[in-house]
Amino acid sequence: MTRYGLTLLFGVLALSACTDESIKSSPEIPSTAMVGGYSKIANPDTDQGLLQVTTFLNSEIGFKDGNPSIRVDKVLEASRQVVAGQNYQVKVQMTDGSQYEAVVYVALNDVMQLTSLKQLRGASPVDGKQADSFPSAPVAGGYNKITDPDQSRYSDQGLLNATKFLSDEIGEKEGDHSIGIDTVLEAYKQVVAGNNYRVKVQMTNGSQYEAVVYINLQNEVSLTSLKKL
C-alpha cells in the first residue's frame, strides 16, 4: 500500500473514532412534559408564567371575597400542566327529561376530563325536547358551533366520545346509571393548547385558596376552578 493510501486509511479511522466518541458522549435529550401530567414548579416566586397567574388571581379572589384590596401574599404550592386537545361545550337532554350543560376536555390521547357540569332542569316528562335558552358560545375562547349535533355525534368521533363520557358522569351524579343522553341539543368545539397552572395561595388577609388557571398560547388567562380552603 502506498504512503498516500496509508495516510488516507488512518485519517478515516481517526474520523470514525471521533464520531463514535461524540455520539457516546452526547447528553441525552430530556423527555418532554407529557400532556395531562402536572409538574411541580420548584421556584414559584421566580416563574414568569406563574407571576401572570397570581396577578390574575388577585382580581378574581378579591372579587369573590368582596374585598378588592387583598392580594396574594405567598404561593404555597404550584404545578404546571402542558395541555393540547379539544373542549366540547354541550347541552344535553337525558332520557328522564333532565337537561345539563357541560364542558368536556378531550386530550390528544383521547383521555377525557369533565371541566364543568351544570343541571339546567330536573327530571320531567319528555315534552317535545323543549329546551331552555343556551348561553352564547364564548367568542373569545374560539368555540365553533357544531351543526345538527345530535346527528353529528355519530360522525364526529370526538363528540361521540365526549357524550358517552358525559352520559356516565351524569348517571353517576344522579345516582341512576339507567339513564343516558337522549338528545344533544347544542354543541360547540374548541381547539385548545397552552398551560394549566394548579396553585395554592395565601392571601394578605390570611385566607387560602386552591385554583386551576389556564393560559393559552395567546397569553389569555381564564379561571378553570377556584376553591376556598
Side-chain angles (χ1 to χ4, degrees), residues 31-52:
S31 57
T32 55
M34 291 181 63
V35 173
Y38 273 96
S39 301
K40 190 168 184 178
I41 297 174
N43 299 304
D45 292 333
T46 58
D47 188 277
Q48 194 60 39
L50 189 57
L51 175 61
Q52 190 176 0

Side-chain angles (χ1 to χ4, degrees), residues 4 11 74 83 85 91 107 111 117 120 141 154 174 188 191 195 205 217 219 227:
Y4 173 77
K74 62 177 76 171
V83 293
K91 180 181 178 182
V111 172
L117 179 64
L120 300 177
Y154 300 108
E174 287 205 3
Y188 297 81
V191 178
N195 289 285
N205 66 350
L217 297 182
N219 277 328
K227 182 173 78 171

